[in-house]
Amino acid sequence: MKIEHIAMYVNDLEAARDFFVKYLGGTSNDGYHNKNTDFRSFFISFADGARLELMTKPEIIDAEKPLTRTGYAHVAFSVGSKEKVDELTDRLENDGFELVSGPRTTGDGYYESCIVAIEGNQIEITV
């Protein structure tokens, strides 16, 4: 069994798509639009086969997203090396994204950093 894709509601669909393409090397499809419900989505595909569905519709609720909440906490992206973790973290921080932690080696042995991006959602960057 494998996870087929993860889905995420966002307010600004194009900005979310652009983030995952620009910073994390994703490739976007042309998008989907249901004219009856005004639901819109993009699928972002990554080299290893993972996919992320970005979605929006008029009636979504933009609730507060404290980092220590129940539910999905973050999505982690492996970039292949400590140097790439450092480089991407610096790039994201220089582009104005909030650095939550790292880069660092965690107690369980991961080399990672965490940033807040895309409407208050946390992204983990790891080896």
Side-chain angles (χ1 to χ4, degrees):
M1 185 177 308
K2 73 173 188 171
I3 295 174
E4 204 292 321
H5 70 271
I6 295 172
M8 175 181 188
Y9 271 115
V10 296
N11 292 302
D12 190 335
L13 190 60
E14 287 77 16
R17 176 200 58 204
D18 294 348
F19 174 86
F20 288 102
V21 169
K22 177 179 180 178
Y23 293 105
L24 297 166
T27 303
S28 178
N29 71 351
D30 292 334
Y32 168 74
H33 181 209
N34 181 319
K35 292 179 181 172
N36 293 326
T37 64
D38 206 22
F39 171 86
R40 296 172 184 266
S41 69
F42 287 111
F43 268 96
I44 309 299
S45 298
F46 299 92
D48 72 346
R51 297 191 320 146
L52 174 65
E53 183 180 15
L54 302 172
M55 311 174 299
T56 196
K57 60 183 178 180
E59 67 273 10
I60 61 173
I61 298 168
D62 194 7
E64 184 180 353
K65 298 173 190 81
L67 294 179
T68 54
R69 65 183 185 267
T70 58
Y72 297 108
H74 64 263
V75 177
F77 289 85
S78 172
V79 295
S81 71
K82 287 183 176 183
E83 294 77 21
K84 288 182 180 179
V85 170
D86 294 345
E87 289 169 10
L88 182 55
T89 301
D90 287 344
R91 183 177 173 204
L92 289 161
E93 193 171 21
N94 288 335
D95 285 355
F97 294 97
E98 177 189 349
L99 179 64
V100 176
S101 65
R104 66 190 178 105
T105 301
T106 63
D108 57 356
Y110 279 89
Y111 189 76
E112 67 179 34
S113 66
C114 294
I115 59 152
V116 175
I118 308 306
E119 303 176 13
N121 291 286
Q122 186 169 252
I123 305 290
E124 181 180 295
I125 305 158
T126 188
V127 173

